[in-house]
Amino acid sequence: MSKNLRKNLQIAIDGPAGAGKSTVARMVAHELGMFYLDTGAMYRVISYKVLKNGILPEDELAVTRIAQETEITFDHRDRDVVLCDGEIVTSQIRSPEVNRTVSIVAAYAGVRERLVKIQRVEAAKGNVVMDGRDIGTFVLPEADIKIFLTASTEERAARRLQEIQATGINMTYQQVLDDIENRDSMDSQRQHSPLRPAEDAIIIDTTTLAVDEVAEKIVSLISSS
Ligand code: CDP
C-alpha cells in the first residue's frame, strides 16, 4: 500500500559502485508508490552502443555523437527492462565489457549534458527516486532527501560478485574488486560532476546492513520529512 506523499517529491540516492543503490532505490520507490529512475543504466546504454558500433571509448567526439542520437527508454511494465533504440539491452548493459568502459564514456561533458537533460525531464514529472553518482550534487540539487550509500570496497565487491555469478558470468573476486576500484577512482576524479556526497546528504554505511534495513531507514527518513 502506498503511503501518502506530497506531489513532486524528489529523492536522490548516490554512491560508489556496488553500494546497493539500485536495489534499495527500487524498494523505496515501490514502498512509496514512486517512480524509479536508474541513471547508471543510461550511461551503460551509451557505453553498450559505443562498443557495438566499434567506436573507441577514448574517441570523445564519436562517443558524444552516439549519446546525442541514442534513444534510451525504460519499460516500466516489466521491471528493469532497458531499451537502446528500441532494442532490449537489459542484460547486455551489465556485461564485463560495459563495466570496463562505462566510466570513460560517463566522463565526457557532452554525454552527461544529454543524459542529465533527460533525467531532469523525468524528475519534473514528480515523485521520483533517482540513483546515480551526481543526483544530489548536480542533477537534482533541490532534491527533498539526499542519501549517499557507502560500504567497504571488499563488501561491495563480494555483493557484486554474487550478482554477476547469478547471471552465469564467470568472474573472480579479484576481477570484480579491480573493476569497482577502477570505476570508483575514475568516477571520483573526473572533471564533470565527480562522485561525492552532496553537502546536505545523509551518509549511510551499508557494510553490515541488509538491503531491506537500508530501504526501511530511507522510507522512514522520507516519511518524517
Ligand atoms: O550499479 P553500479 O553502481 O555498478 O553502476 P551504475 O549505477 O550502473 O553506473 C555505471 C557507471 O555510470 C558509473 O560507474 C559511472 O561512471 C556512471 N554514472 C555516472 O557517471 N553518473 C550517474 N548519475 C550514474 C552513473
Side-chain angles (χ1 to χ4, degrees):
M1 179 63 108
S2 302
K3 304 207 164 121
N4 235 346
L5 290 173
R6 273 185 287 136
K7 269 220 166 114
N8 285 331
L9 207 57
Q10 295 179 336
I11 311 300
I13 303 184
D14 290 302
K21 299 180 300 293
S22 48
T23 312
V24 165
R26 197 175 286 113
M27 286 171 90
V28 170
H30 183 257
E31 169 80 13
L32 298 177
M34 297 174 76
F35 166 69
Y36 165 59
L37 190 72
D38 176 356
T39 66
M42 300 172 75
Y43 291 92
R44 288 175 176 276
V45 167
I46 302 305
S47 179
Y48 161 80
K49 187 162 164 190
V50 162
L51 295 171
K52 186 181 165 201
N53 288 10
I55 290 165
L56 283 180
E58 290 73 19
D59 185 346
E60 179 167 358
L61 212 64
V63 171
T64 303
R65 197 171 309 128
I66 292 279
Q68 276 154 0
E69 68 190 27
T70 302
E71 191 199 11
I72 305 168
T73 35
F74 294 89
D75 183 349
H76 291 289
R77 286 165 310 170
D78 196 351
R79 214 179 95 101
D80 291 343
V81 172
V82 186
L83 297 99
C84 171
D85 299 324
E87 175 200 354
I88 295 177
V89 293
T90 316
S91 55
Q92 292 89 323
I93 63 169
R94 310 270 161 209
S95 71
E97 294 74 26
V98 169
N99 281 340
R100 272 196 297 275
T101 50
V102 63
S103 293
I104 302 173
V105 163
Y108 299 141
V111 172
R112 306 202 67 82
E113 203 179 307
R114 165 97 207 286
L115 299 191
V116 168
K117 204 176 275 175
I118 301 171
Q119 291 157 14
R120 288 183 176 148
V121 168
E122 290 302 322
K125 295 177 185 167
N127 276 337
V128 70
V129 180
M130 216 180 258
D131 81 330
R133 301 291 185 286
D134 59 340
I135 310 304
T137 54
F138 187 71
V139 181
L140 304 176
E142 306 297 328
D144 299 270
I145 305 259
K146 298 178 185 178
I147 306 288
F148 193 85
L149 290 187
T150 60
S152 71
T153 320
E154 293 72 22
E155 174 64 20
R156 293 188 284 119
R159 289 178 192 166
R160 189 44 60 88
L161 180 65
Q162 244 183 359
E163 278 172 22
I164 291 173
Q165 284 175 339
T167 68
I169 295 175
N170 205 5
M171 276 181 88
T172 64
Y173 171 79
Q174 193 57 47
Q175 285 170 321
V176 176
L177 185 71
D178 289 347
D179 165 56
I180 281 185
E181 285 179 338
N182 277 334
R183 279 201 291 133
D184 284 353
S185 133
M186 280 196 265
D187 292 344
S188 322
Q189 286 168 30
R190 68 184 177 217
Q191 188 188 349
H192 309 287
S193 307
L195 166 68
R196 61 176 171 80
E199 269 170 30
D200 48 351
I202 298 161
I203 298 178
I204 304 178
D205 185 335
T206 72
T207 308
T208 59
L209 297 174
V211 278
D212 48 350
E213 289 179 288
V214 182
E216 255 334 292
K217 219 182 238 266
I218 298 174
V219 167
S220 64
L221 282 169
I222 298 169
S223 306
S224 60
S225 71

